[in-house]
Amino acid sequence: MANIRIFVGSVMGTATGVAATAQAILEGYGHHVSIDSDLTQQPLNSSDIVLVCTSNTGMGDLPHNIVPFYSELTQNNPAITGMRYGVINLGDSSYMNFAEAGKLLDQTLEDMGAVRIGEPLILDAIYVDDHEEEAGEWIEQWQALINQ
C-alpha cells in the first residue's frame, strides 16, 4: 500500500481533527500514514503521497505550524516531480481571502511538478457543521484514486 504523509496547518484544532480522521480511514485501507510537522526529520521523495490539511489564519495566511513545510518547499526545492498529493482546505467564506492557504500550498506543489490526486476538498465553516464527517466522505473517494 501507499506511504502517505499528512501535513497539517491548524490554528484552532479543527484541521488537526480532520487529519486524524484521514489517518484513521487511510490506515483502515492498509496505507502507512504519518502526520508530519516538517520536512527536516524526513525529506519528501517522489514515492511519497502527501495530503495537505490546512485551515487559514489572518488574511488567508498559512497557520504557523505548516509554515516550516511551505518554507522547505520554497527554499530548498526538494525533488518532488511526479509526487502525488491531495488538499483539504478549511476556511470561512465570510472572509475576503477564503481558503487562500490551501490554494497557496496546492499551487506551490503543482509548480514544483507534483501531481494532484482528485480535486481539493474545501470545507466552508459557514456550510459544514461536522468537518470530520464531511472530510471522511471525501477521503474515502480520494483513497480510491490513489490506487488508479
Side-chain angles (χ1 to χ4, degrees):
M1 293 274 109
N3 181 43
I4 301 171
R5 297 175 67 186
I6 302 174
F7 290 91
V8 181
S10 190
V11 177
M12 304 299 286
T14 306
T16 302
V18 170
T21 296
Q23 181 179 30
I25 291 170
L26 294 167
E27 285 177 341
Y29 282 96
H31 300 291
H32 177 266
V33 184
S34 61
I35 297 178
D36 293 322
S37 58
D38 65 56
L39 294 171
T40 57
Q41 303 282 327
Q42 180 182 0
L44 285 177
N45 66 62
S46 60
S47 66
D48 289 330
I49 296 175
V50 167
L51 179 58
V52 173
C53 183
T54 190
S55 62
N56 298 264
T57 189
M59 296 299 292
D61 300 322
L62 296 169
H64 73 280
N65 58 339
I66 203 162
V67 169
F69 172 72
Y70 177 73
S71 295
E72 180 70 20
L73 291 175
T74 57
Q75 293 172 8
N76 295 328
N77 297 317
I80 61 170
T81 299
M83 181 193 79
R84 299 183 304 153
Y85 73 97
V87 176
I88 299 175
N89 194 357
L90 292 78
D92 183 330
S93 62
S94 67
Y95 290 91
M96 197 167 93
N97 296 333
F98 173 60
E100 287 299 318
K103 291 176 188 175
L104 173 65
L105 290 166
D106 183 25
Q107 188 64 55
T108 300
L109 288 163
E110 183 181 331
D111 289 347
M112 295 182 72
V115 178
R116 190 176 63 229
I117 302 169
E119 291 301 313
L121 172 63
I122 299 176
L123 296 172
D124 186 344
I126 289 181
Y127 301 108
V128 175
D129 291 325
D130 187 335
H131 289 81
E132 293 175 33
E133 182 180 319
E134 272 305 304
E137 295 171 16
W138 181 88
I139 293 159
E140 295 276 347
Q141 297 169 5
W142 185 77
Q143 84 77 33
L145 295 174
I146 290 171
N147 300 319
Q148 293 182 354

